Amino acid sequence: EVTLRELSLAALVDETFARLAGAAAARRVALVRQGLDGVTVYADQALLARVLDNVVVNAVQYGGEAGTVTVSAAAAPAPA
């Protein structure tokens, strides 16, 4: 069942980075977040966490060693 609610994108990305810190460190990849403070998303927390995990895992695995993975976002006005 999908449960939509307002979520802090920064908190979700921080949780993703915490889960994947070991894998990133093993490949000497820096995990960086930019522009996420104050960004709120309306989503299912478990599903969005899975998406973030998959994207960051792929970036760490296929982005090369000693690189940087950056997750960034910008808030946009809500549609009318």
Side-chain angles (χ1 to χ4, degrees):
E1 181 179 319
V2 174
T3 304
L4 301 177
R5 64 186 181 113
E6 287 189 12
L7 303 167
S8 163
L9 187 57
L12 287 171
V13 170
D14 287 346
E15 291 169 9
T16 295
F17 283 0
R19 280 190 296 275
L20 302 176
R27 293 185 53 81
R28 298 186 325 272
V29 172
L31 300 175
V32 176
R33 67 176 182 89
Q34 293 179 333
L36 302 181
D37 293 329
V39 177
T40 301
V41 295
Y42 192 67
D44 180 284
Q45 184 171 357
L47 293 176
L48 185 53
R50 186 183 312 172
V51 168
L52 289 169
D53 283 358
N54 287 341
V55 169
V56 174
V57 163
N58 285 339
V60 168
Q61 286 180 343
Y62 301 111
E65 289 194 27
T68 301
V69 172
T70 303
V71 176
S72 64

